[in-house]
Amino acid sequence: MKGKGTSDTVSVVDGDGNQCCWWWWLVHKGTTTTFLIVGLFALLVRAAVSLHPYSGFANPPKFGDYEAQRHWMEITINLPIQEWYRNSTSNDLSYWGLDYPPLTAYQSFIHGLFLRFVHPESVSLFTSRGHESYLGKLLMRWTVLSSDLLILFPAVLYFVIVRYGQPSRSRKSDIGWHIAMLLLNPCLILIDHGHFQYNCISLGFTIGAVAGVLSGKDLVACVLYCLALNHKQMSAYFAPAFFSHLLGKCLRRKHPLLEVSKLGFYVLGTFAAVWWPYLYSKDSILEVLSRLAPFERGIFEDYVANFWCASSIIFKWKRLFRSESLRILSLTATVITCLPSMIQQIKSPSNRGFLYGLLNCSFAFYLFSFQVHEKSILLPLLPASLLAMEEPFIFKWFMQFAMLSMFPLICRDGLVVPYFALLALFILIFDAPGQQRVKEGNYLYNYLGATTVRLVLFCYFILHIVYLTMNPPEKYPFLFEAIIMNVCFSQFVLVTLGCNIKQWVLNKPTKLEVDKKFI
Amino acid sequence: MGKQKLSSKGVQNSGCTKATLWWFYLVAACIKVLLFPSYRSTDFEVHRNWLAVTHSLPLSQWYFDETSPWTLDYPPFFAHFEHFLSMFAHLIDPKIVHLQEGLNYSANTVVYFQRGTVILSDLCLLYGVYRLTRNLDSRKQKLIWLSAIWSPMLFIVDHVHFQYNGFLIGILLISLSYLEEGRDLLGGFFFAVLLCLKHLFAVAAPVYFVYLLRHYCRGGIGRGFTRLLIMGGMVAAVFAAAFGPFFHLGQIQQVIRRLFPFGRGLCHAYWAPNFWVFYIMSDKGLAFILRRLGFNVQTPTATFTAGLVGDSSPFSVLPQVTPLVTFMMVLLALSPCLLKAWKDPKPQMISRWVAYAYACGFLFGWHVHEKASLHFVIPLAIVAVQTLEDAKHYFLLSIVSCYSLFPLLFEAQEYPIKVLLLLLHSILMWSGFSAQFPDGAETARAPTGHHTEKKVDQRKSNGGFVIGWIERMYLIGLVIVEIWGQFLHPLLLGDKLAFAPLMLISIYCALGIMYSWIWQLTFIVTSP
């Protein structure tokens, strides 16, 4: 899976010894120790980022995501389970009503218990609204840290063990590098530990599911993916990829129908288990479901680097169409953009193709679906980071623009300092010395050309500085946001086009065999 | 093993070496930047006030100003350093350097500026480490960088608690690197500069004096005398540049008063883990036993931390300790090392000797801060890769001394950070040292480098990097002490005996530091 021919390997021998010298202190004890070291470092980074302010810090009356999560803890530990999603005198849904699937609610419940045990005022019903205190912040931050540690970290370890089954095959320091890339994803750290969310849980489950698929344990993958889906409905971005890959695999087996129904049974079983408290009546299911689908909101919020927002400079979508027709329009566009990679996976499912499929499908959703947040860029970023070894240039390029696309949000949250520190840290570790990886020899890089890459990067930094230091003209108060979003959108389109083509190029039988041998 | 001489490959790699060194520094800098909003001690305001004092007042007022209780009590060069920084501070936010309005100023500008200056001044440490390690082979280099540039103690003391230790220790390392190269005059010069930056580094002055006298001023009476004059003149010039203006203004007494506040007590507020902890504890124990036996033992009125209040002794049974006694004890502890330096002034040994001097100062000194353990842990990091025994000793010492800094960051917010820093450091050291000193089974798998044969011989005789059972028990005990202090004590005893966990940490770490001191002493005495 090196993307490197045999002739290349010979010339790298000298460098190999050199590389061992560079990273010998880190990797010589084996994957687990390497993981432990990188993991501790990643935890340290997370703990340090969590010192910074969170979204909506000291900003009444609605505050931000931090208050939403805290409020959910307050609701879940004080009200009976049936009332969590129901509007009532004690549960005002217009004030940060629970709008994530039940697993998030259970997670809030568990964290709420912890908060109540240590600091009861921070989660008492009604009186704790807008609660902000030193201890409260600390405890909330620790709940994210622990979720990360309990779900994302083991999932990454599982993925790495599956992906690099025999460490002798690939160089140890590469594994260390990939672990670092997965654990030190600056966007994820900023959103979870700075802005305040629990993406690590659903993304962790997704990584676990991907590892399950890669290791051939499709049933485990199904359960884990359903858990991800039940933690954040946004995980549905990956659904077409999982669906098409698993379907394609089943179709190749002896009894396709039996295999499919087995998977279906596991999916239904997991869903039933998670939704159990709400299965007593149809109304209660619909009640929860209606909370999960944010159709009453617009096609996009704020500024997000997707098709609808980027093109709204020319077409005022919100004015031209009614909400219902926009819904259908966006659904059609999403399905059409998903289709190529789905068909490829149904036709010839492969592990590597599956990873590309994940990237392409989630990108299709990010670019074209209804009601996309700037934070949703985390979802396409995940498969990109899983592919970091195969597509280092695309991964780095994508990460940089994903960061930029969140920059206005980060500025609002007062997280500019950790933003730049994490970006620098990412680039430093990406380009860590002693690496022999050929990073620039990439089709996207070749397509853009070295000069363009430099020029774009130059604009990239200028944009940051301009956004930070200059005031937009009064006539266009969101001029800079619009420029940033269009720049990011153009790069995202390039990335996803490149990856779609790459996925289809994979579709040669010889490639598939190579693939199977390596994974 | 000493230093490996520059090989031809080393020259080619030097550009690459620098890039890697920068990489280590920048990665650390990213973490340091992330730590900007963490807890900061009063030292932060102390340094801010010094910025204001040096910026707003003429030189003649620097050591007289009492607007803030945090008066200037560092030597003149440090004041000049603050003066230099204050010029930029003034550009960024004039309020930072305002004498009255700036008091307890805590806007983002001042925090970012001051924290930023600490990160930048760490470049000095970087240069010192670079000079000391540039001729080593690349594996050793990396291990040293790991322990010195990513030192968890520097993170805790400089970048959270707030001080400029990285800068000062950097100058010490530069001085040591010149001495190791045999360029004694420059080594002496940088040490003199260091003394004019922070006088607490003077503990190593006897070692420097003896070493330079015997190493630099050798070769016959005439040549020796000339060299002594040159060295003396140079040191005198440095001191004149620092203290001359104040001497001229007739303020030298005031400066001295500020620099040496003998009103302070034997121990700092939190007892540094040194010899005096045992002394105090045995005093308490004896008093308790004597009281039980029916003797009339007076409970002392004075405390250890508050200083010499009149004639009343803070001890109930054991004799009073005066600054002079501590001074004599430090000199006594130093004497074997001085003797060695007198007999055979070897440049390879100077780092150890200086580190040992600071260890003595830490153990027996008057009013020692727990932070002073940095002064010998960082220099020891440089020699830690030389032999397996060194590595084992440094592993234990760095963990203990880092742990002894834990009480500095007492707020809950920094708890995960300090624990993670220590854990990361220990596991990195363990992994790195095991890679450097593999046992027999692993030797076969070690990559082939140009020094392999030599190493294999050495490894066979020593075995791998395995920590002995006493050390292992001690480290497990450290974990127990921490769990007791953090969780069990508040749970079982509540607010009763609130000082006990801190005292426990002090005593327990003092054991480790004593061990390290004895180890260093044995090493120095037995070294050929």
Side-chain angles (χ1 to χ4, degrees):
Chain A
M1 293 283 283
K2 279 293 123 86
K4 215 178 260 172
T6 35
S7 60
D8 231 11
T9 325
V10 176
S11 67
V12 172
V13 168
D14 183 35
D16 210 63
N18 194 14
Q19 194 180 22
C20 276
C21 270
W22 287 108
W23 299 107
W24 191 238
W25 48 271
L26 177 68
V27 299
H28 90 115
K29 278 279 178 188
T31 311
T32 324
T33 312
T34 311
F35 181 82
L36 202 62
I37 295 175
V38 177
L40 277 175
F41 183 73
L43 265 185
L44 175 68
V45 171
R46 284 163 164 79
V49 171
S50 72
L51 300 172
H52 290 262
Y54 43 81
S55 73
F57 174 71
N59 185 19
K62 278 287 257 187
F63 302 94
D65 276 352
Y66 172 86
E67 170 63 9
Q69 299 283 354
R70 196 210 51 73
H71 180 66
W72 295 349
M73 293 177 197
E74 171 197 333
I75 291 297
T76 47
I77 59 164
N78 288 306
L79 297 180
I81 197 162
Q82 287 81 14
E83 288 184 26
W84 287 355
Y85 289 91
R86 191 178 296 155
N87 206 10
S88 67
T89 46
S90 45
N91 184 11
D92 176 13
L93 286 183
S94 65
Y95 182 82
W96 297 117
L98 199 49
D99 55 3
Y100 278 168
L103 205 56
T104 295
Y106 304 149
Q107 164 243 315
S108 297
F109 177 72
I110 293 166
H111 288 155
L113 287 182
F114 166 66
L115 253 74
R116 185 161 68 184
F117 176 72
V118 186
H119 189 48
E121 301 92 84
S122 67
V123 284
S124 58
L125 198 57
F126 301 125
T127 52
S128 67
R129 278 202 187 172
H131 176 91
E132 286 184 316
S133 63
Y134 178 84
L135 192 58
K137 175 189 173 187
L138 207 62
L139 295 172
M140 292 283 282
R141 291 294 201 194
W142 286 356
T143 63
V144 193
L145 271 177
S146 60
S147 319
D148 228 341
L149 191 64
L150 289 176
I151 294 174
L152 186 81
F153 282 55
V156 167
L157 184 61
Y158 180 33
F159 173 79
V160 168
I161 288 174
V162 168
R163 169 77 172 68
Y164 304 93
Q166 306 93 354
S168 54
R169 200 175 275 283
S170 36
R171 286 167 302 175
K172 285 175 174 176
S173 62
D174 278 350
I175 303 179
W177 180 82
H178 201 178
I179 296 173
M181 286 297 108
L182 287 165
L183 290 183
L184 287 170
N185 180 337
C187 289
L188 181 60
I189 296 176
L190 266 180
I191 293 298
D192 273 11
H193 301 272
H195 178 85
F196 204 91
Q197 278 193 345
Y198 292 90
N199 294 297
C200 50
I201 298 180
S202 62
L203 294 182
F205 281 133
T206 311
I207 295 181
V210 171
V213 169
L214 293 189
S215 62
K217 296 190 178 68
D218 294 350
L219 299 177
V220 176
C222 262
V223 172
L224 286 176
Y225 179 64
C226 290
L227 290 179
L229 204 55
N230 275 311
H231 189 265
K232 274 199 151 188
Q233 62 269 46
M234 236 107 78
S235 307
Y237 285 21
F238 299 122
F242 274 98
F243 172 74
S244 55
H245 178 79
L246 292 177
L247 182 68
K249 255 184 173 173
C250 287
L251 290 179
R252 269 142 202 276
R253 291 197 184 130
K254 248 186 185 169
H255 309 288
L257 245 148
L258 183 75
E259 298 284 337
V260 171
S261 50
K262 224 160 93 186
L263 290 180
F265 176 74
Y266 270 82
V267 170
L268 284 179
T270 316
F271 265 85
V274 173
W275 286 67
W276 188 253
Y278 302 98
L279 291 180
Y280 63 93
S281 80
K282 201 180 149 197
D283 284 348
S284 67
I285 300 176
L286 286 179
E287 203 173 63
V288 180
L289 274 180
S290 70
R291 291 293 310 158
L292 303 187
F295 281 132
E296 70 277 14
R297 301 199 200 166
I299 188 156
F300 59 85
E301 255 178 47
D302 296 336
Y303 276 83
V304 50
N306 73 355
F307 172 74
W308 308 111
C309 179
S311 59
S312 69
I313 301 176
I314 309 161
F315 301 102
K316 298 290 172 206
W317 298 105
K318 285 179 180 172
R319 256 182 265 161
L320 284 172
F321 296 94
R322 281 184 306 126
S323 186
E324 292 88 66
S325 39
L326 269 181
R327 248 177 265 168
I328 294 163
L329 206 63
S330 66
L331 183 68
T332 325
T334 315
V335 170
I336 290 171
T337 39
C338 275
L339 267 183
S341 75
M342 284 179 75
I343 292 169
Q344 194 273 339
Q345 276 305 290
I346 295 173
K347 264 179 74 185
S348 57
S350 67
N351 281 341
R352 203 168 168 194
F354 170 59
L355 292 179
Y356 280 99
L358 282 172
L359 178 61
N360 292 329
C361 290
S362 49
F363 240 137
F365 271 86
Y366 177 81
L367 292 176
F368 293 104
S369 74
F370 195 79
Q371 238 291 300
V372 175
H373 263 278
E374 57 269 68
K375 282 161 269 176
S376 307
I377 196 64
L378 288 175
L379 291 141
L381 252 182
L382 179 80
S385 62
L386 298 179
L387 278 167
M389 197 62 86
E390 288 85 0
E391 302 285 358
F393 176 76
I394 286 200
F395 174 55
K396 185 184 181 187
W397 197 249
F398 182 17
M399 181 67 84
Q400 285 171 348
F401 284 95
M403 287 290 273
L404 178 63
S405 77
M406 297 196 313
F407 191 53
L409 171 83
I410 294 303
C411 284
R412 278 203 300 279
D413 291 344
L415 293 168
V416 178
V417 171
Y419 173 92
F420 284 110
L422 285 176
L423 187 62
L425 192 64
F426 170 75
I427 293 171
L428 280 171
I429 292 182
F430 185 92
D431 291 324
Q435 304 269 346
Q436 298 294 323
R437 201 171 294 104
V438 188
K439 284 172 205 122
E440 315 288 290
N442 179 277
Y443 48 93
L444 183 64
Y445 183 82
N446 292 338
Y447 172 73
L448 289 171
T451 328
T452 326
V453 167
R454 276 193 209 118
L455 197 73
V456 173
L457 279 180
F458 179 70
C459 295
Y460 177 80
F461 286 108
I462 294 294
L463 264 180
H464 279 110
I465 293 163
V466 165
Y467 189 80
L468 277 180
T469 53
M470 282 167 63
N471 290 320
E474 270 177 41
K475 208 175 157 197
Y476 306 105
F478 296 107
L479 177 71
F480 296 148
E481 278 90 347
I483 295 175
I484 287 177
M485 290 317 148
N486 276 284
V487 169
C488 291
F489 172 69
S490 63
Q491 299 310 313
F492 291 163
V493 168
L494 271 181
V495 168
T496 186
L497 273 180
C499 288
N500 263 301
I501 295 166
K502 189 75 188 275
Q503 192 186 349
W504 273 90
V505 173
L506 283 177
N507 198 11
K508 290 172 190 166
T510 45
K511 275 277 181 185
L512 185 68
E513 275 169 29
V514 171
D515 208 337
K516 272 188 182 155
K517 229 165 74 189
F518 275 93
I519 280 194
Chain B
M1 292 240 296
K3 279 199 294 183
Q4 305 287 346
K5 270 291 144 202
L6 227 95
S7 64
S8 59
K9 204 180 172 189
V11 179
Q12 285 163 14
N13 278 348
S14 74
C16 205
T17 305
K18 274 183 200 159
T20 318
L21 189 58
W22 274 108
W23 185 83
F24 274 86
Y25 170 77
L26 289 173
V27 168
C30 287
I31 303 291
K32 292 166 187 172
V33 169
L34 286 177
L35 290 174
F36 272 178
S38 56
Y39 154 84
R40 45 187 192 274
S41 69
T42 45
D43 277 352
F44 182 84
E45 170 62 13
V46 170
H47 284 96
R48 194 219 49 79
N49 183 50
W50 293 355
L51 285 176
V53 167
T54 51
H55 190 266
S56 324
L57 298 175
L59 187 89
S60 56
Q61 290 296 308
W62 285 1
Y63 284 92
F64 282 96
D65 176 74
E66 281 178 357
T67 322
S68 155
W70 313 116
T71 52
L72 184 58
D73 58 4
Y74 271 28
F77 276 175
F78 200 86
H80 287 297
F81 172 65
E82 294 276 5
H83 183 62
F84 171 71
L85 294 180
S86 70
M87 290 191 269
F88 301 99
H90 181 71
L91 291 178
I92 285 168
D93 182 359
K95 204 175 164 189
I96 298 175
V97 291
H98 199 283
L99 210 48
Q100 279 91 29
E101 283 174 26
L103 287 178
N104 294 314
Y105 189 41
S106 60
N108 273 350
T109 47
V110 64
V111 176
Y112 290 1
F113 173 77
Q114 290 214 74
R115 293 237 190 245
T117 58
V118 182
I119 296 176
L120 283 180
S121 69
D122 272 351
L123 285 173
C124 206
L125 178 77
L126 190 72
Y127 183 64
V129 171
Y130 167 70
R131 282 197 57 90
L132 274 168
T133 58
R134 59 184 166 169
N135 294 340
L136 295 177
D137 73 81
S138 109
R139 291 243 226 115
K140 286 185 178 176
Q141 275 179 341
K142 248 140 259 150
L143 268 180
I144 293 174
W145 298 345
L146 274 179
S147 47
I149 296 174
W150 287 3
S151 164
M153 300 173 72
L154 280 178
F155 275 89
I156 291 176
V157 178
D158 278 13
H159 303 279
V160 180
H161 176 87
F162 199 86
Q163 273 192 347
Y164 288 93
N165 288 296
F167 167 63
L168 299 167
I169 291 172
I171 292 179
L172 177 69
L173 294 187
I174 293 172
S175 161
L176 289 177
S177 75
Y178 278 116
L179 291 188
E180 281 198 359
E181 284 167 23
R183 296 160 78 178
D184 291 345
L185 198 60
L186 272 171
F189 169 76
F190 276 102
F191 187 68
V193 170
L194 179 66
L195 290 189
C196 296
L197 279 164
K198 191 172 181 180
H199 49 302
L200 281 181
F201 281 92
V203 183
V207 174
Y208 263 88
F209 178 75
V210 170
Y211 175 82
L212 289 176
L213 191 68
R214 294 288 293 167
H215 190 261
Y216 183 67
C217 314
R218 68 192 158 182
I221 295 175
R223 185 161 172 263
F225 194 67
T226 328
R227 287 199 149 192
L228 185 65
L229 276 184
I230 295 171
M231 181 62 84
M234 197 251 343
V235 172
V238 171
F239 275 83
F243 292 93
F246 299 98
F247 198 76
H248 178 73
L249 290 165
Q251 300 174 348
I252 201 71
Q253 274 191 327
Q254 168 71 9
V255 175
I256 300 288
R257 218 175 295 137
R258 280 279 177 88
L259 294 191
F260 300 99
F262 272 111
R264 297 183 184 176
L266 175 64
C267 288
H268 191 52
Y270 155 68
W271 304 347
N274 62 7
F275 173 75
W276 301 117
V277 171
F278 296 127
Y279 193 77
I280 294 168
M281 285 319 292
S282 29
D283 179 68
K284 297 246 180 210
L286 278 175
F288 180 76
I289 292 165
L290 290 178
R291 254 184 232 124
R292 273 293 163 89
L293 292 174
F295 291 91
N296 179 23
V297 181
Q298 300 246 310
T299 313
T301 46
T303 59
F304 308 107
T305 51
L308 305 161
V309 185
D311 290 329
S312 73
S313 158
F315 298 100
S316 13
V317 184
L318 294 175
Q320 162 81 302
V321 179
T322 61
L324 190 68
V325 172
T326 62
F327 181 70
M328 293 314 292
M329 282 191 69
V330 173
L331 267 189
L332 193 69
L334 260 179
S335 51
C337 167
L338 296 179
L339 221 73
K340 267 281 186 204
W342 180 271
K343 262 196 232 156
D344 185 12
K346 274 190 293 197
Q348 304 96 292
M349 288 296 286
I350 186 69
S351 297
R352 288 172 192 280
W353 290 336
V354 168
Y356 175 74
Y358 287 126
C360 293
F362 182 80
L363 270 182
F364 303 108
W366 180 261
H367 195 84
V368 173
H369 282 248
E370 62 279 12
K371 291 160 252 170
S373 55
L374 267 171
H375 298 177
F376 57 94
V377 176
I378 303 286
L380 280 175
I382 309 292
V383 295
V385 288
Q386 288 182 2
T387 66
L388 180 64
E389 291 307 308
D390 272 315
K392 285 181 183 170
H393 160 249
Y394 178 74
F395 181 73
L396 192 76
L397 171 68
S398 66
I399 292 176
V400 173
S401 49
C402 179
Y403 179 67
S404 74
L405 296 177
F406 270 24
L408 272 183
L409 314 183
F410 53 87
E411 288 190 18
Q413 186 178 238
E414 283 74 24
Y415 189 74
I417 290 174
K418 63 184 182 186
V419 172
L420 284 169
L421 277 171
L422 179 56
L423 278 181
L424 188 63
H425 175 76
S426 344
I427 191 167
L428 269 177
M429 285 294 101
W430 175 73
S431 171
F433 285 138
S434 334
Q436 180 70 18
F437 307 102
D439 54 31
E442 277 183 82
T443 316
R445 282 195 281 128
T448 47
H450 23 286
H451 310 295
T452 312
E453 277 178 36
K454 231 174 168 180
K455 271 184 198 159
V456 171
D457 289 342
Q458 201 192 23
R459 278 167 194 157
K460 288 238 169 93
S461 57
N462 282 324
F465 180 75
V466 184
I467 307 150
W469 66 272
I470 302 178
E471 285 92 341
R472 206 173 293 175
M473 293 310 286
Y474 180 78
L475 289 179
I476 293 170
L478 210 64
V479 178
I480 295 171
V481 166
E482 178 61 14
I483 292 174
W484 169 261
Q486 284 298 325
F487 307 104
L488 298 181
H489 186 95
L491 215 66
L492 298 178
L493 296 174
D495 289 338
K496 271 185 286 173
L497 300 171
F499 61 92
L502 278 187
M503 211 167 70
L504 199 61
I505 295 178
S506 257
I507 295 169
Y508 201 74
C509 291
L511 281 174
I513 306 259
M514 278 300 264
Y515 160 80
S516 157
W517 176 73
I518 292 167
W519 186 91
Q520 288 183 58
L521 181 63
T522 334
F523 191 97
I524 287 169
V525 171
T526 55
S527 70

